[in-house]
Amino acid sequence: MKKRVFTIFAIAALSLYTASAQKSIRLGYIDMEYILENVPEYQEASRQLENRVQEWKVEAEAKLREVEDMKTRLDNERALLTKELIEEREGEIAYMEQQAREYQQKRFGPNGDYMIQKKQLVRPIQDQVFTAVQQIAENRNLDFVFDRTADIGMIYADKQYDVSETVLRTIKRTANREQLETKDEIEELERAEDRTVEQDAEITKREELVEQRQSEREAYIEEKKRERDSLRAARQKEFEERRARILAERERKKDSILKAREKKNDTIN
């Protein structure tokens, strides 16, 4: 519905523009889904991704089953365990449950492997399509080309129809006028309105320099965050190794107790 409304709106807007400018505007459209369905390389890569997804689902389900099995065993053995052993087992279960949830997010979350690889799969074909559309539009003198299956809709437009900069300047000036309170502010706005696009571009360039410095600071903060994450991962690894040693020690003690009981039984007999 959203795509249809957008397309209708775009066509209506172009029709109005045509009527006012007395210039014929030429339109074209593509069907991206149809193109993808008929690209063998995409279909093969898509099948491979689907196979990988099935493997991820199996792994995720196995992790969840393991957690449920651990819970069941604990419930069955709870009456025979000490409070310390119960708390230890519950900690292990909580840890394994967290690992299972994190695995699901890693594979199927909004920023998970599936979404990333899906985008990577489509992007090369999209790049080829956009290049082809631009060439065809220029050869056939098309002003606009739409993708009938996309949310955005328009994938090509002749630059002569781009009024984004003018609209942006108008919005900013209107917003600024609504906030004016003093004579000096009004005079400053009038000077800004007298500036050319080139002058505004120079100011924008300076603002971008400030943003670049801000980005560098954010990059530094992100690097520090990665260092903290690395330290956290090292601690988690240490925890897992300690847990493995505890489990091994528990098994050793269990075996020792069983052997002692067997020896005692043999002595009695």
Side-chain angles (χ1 to χ4, degrees), residues 142-265:
L142 298 177
D143 295 301
F144 297 91
V145 178
F146 296 86
D147 177 6
R148 64 185 296 271
T149 63
D151 291 337
I152 297 177
M154 187 168 61
I155 61 173
Y156 171 84
D158 193 313
K159 289 186 178 297
Q160 65 175 310
Y161 299 106
D162 187 357
V163 294
S164 303
E165 189 62 36
T166 305
V167 171
L168 182 60
R169 286 164 61 89
T170 300
I171 292 174
K172 288 182 177 179
R173 289 170 179 173
T174 301
N176 290 336
R177 283 186 179 277
E178 294 175 352
Q179 299 174 8
L180 297 180
E181 296 181 356
T182 67
K183 181 180 178 180
D184 290 340
E185 291 176 338
I186 295 174
E187 291 177 351
E188 174 60 27
L189 176 63
E190 291 174 347
R191 285 194 295 271
E193 290 178 341
D194 290 336
R195 288 198 297 265
T196 64
V197 173
E198 290 74 15
Q199 291 171 330
D200 278 344
E202 180 62 27
I203 294 175
T204 300
K205 183 177 180 180
R206 291 197 295 269
E207 292 174 347
E208 289 175 349
L209 180 60
V210 173
E211 291 179 359
Q212 178 183 352
R213 291 172 178 169
Q214 177 65 24
S215 298
E216 291 174 354
R217 288 195 293 270
E218 291 175 354
Y220 173 78
I221 294 173
E222 181 64 24
E223 177 62 25
K224 290 299 182 182
K225 180 178 180 298
R226 283 195 294 268
E227 291 178 359
R228 291 195 300 270
D229 290 343
S230 177
L231 180 60
R232 189 179 298 113
R235 289 174 177 171
Q236 180 175 336
K237 180 180 179 182
E238 180 181 354
F239 170 80
E240 292 175 350
E241 292 175 348
R242 182 168 60 85
R243 187 171 69 90
R245 289 196 299 270
I246 291 173
L247 292 175
E249 179 64 19
R250 184 193 304 163
E251 291 298 323
R252 187 188 66 78
K253 290 181 179 179
K254 185 185 297 184
D255 292 342
S256 178
I257 292 171
L258 289 175
K259 290 179 180 178
R261 289 177 178 174
E262 292 175 356
K263 184 176 180 180
K264 182 179 180 179
N265 291 335

Side-chain angles (χ1 to χ4, degrees), residues 45-68:
S46 182
R47 283 192 292 270
Q48 293 177 5
L49 176 58
E50 183 59 29
N51 292 336
R52 199 170 301 129
V53 168
Q54 294 303 319
E55 293 176 359
W56 293 341
K57 288 182 178 179
V58 170
E59 292 177 10
E61 291 171 357
K63 291 179 180 294
L64 292 175
R65 283 197 303 272
E66 182 180 1
V67 171
E68 292 304 317

Side-chain angles (χ1 to χ4, degrees), residues 24-73:
S24 175
I25 292 180
R26 296 169 60 86
L27 303 176
Y29 77 88
I30 66 169
D31 187 328
M32 182 65 80
E33 291 181 0
Y34 171 78
I35 293 173
L36 293 175
E37 289 172 358
N38 288 275
V39 175
E41 294 84 357
Y42 173 82
Q43 292 300 315
E44 176 59 27
S46 182
R47 283 192 292 270
Q48 293 177 5
L49 176 58
E50 183 59 29
N51 292 336
R52 199 170 301 129
V53 168
Q54 294 303 319
E55 293 176 359
W56 293 341
K57 288 182 178 179
V58 170
E59 292 177 10
E61 291 171 357
K63 291 179 180 294
L64 292 175
R65 283 197 303 272
E66 182 180 1
V67 171
E68 292 304 317
D69 291 343
M70 292 174 68
K71 290 180 179 179
T72 300
R73 288 196 299 271

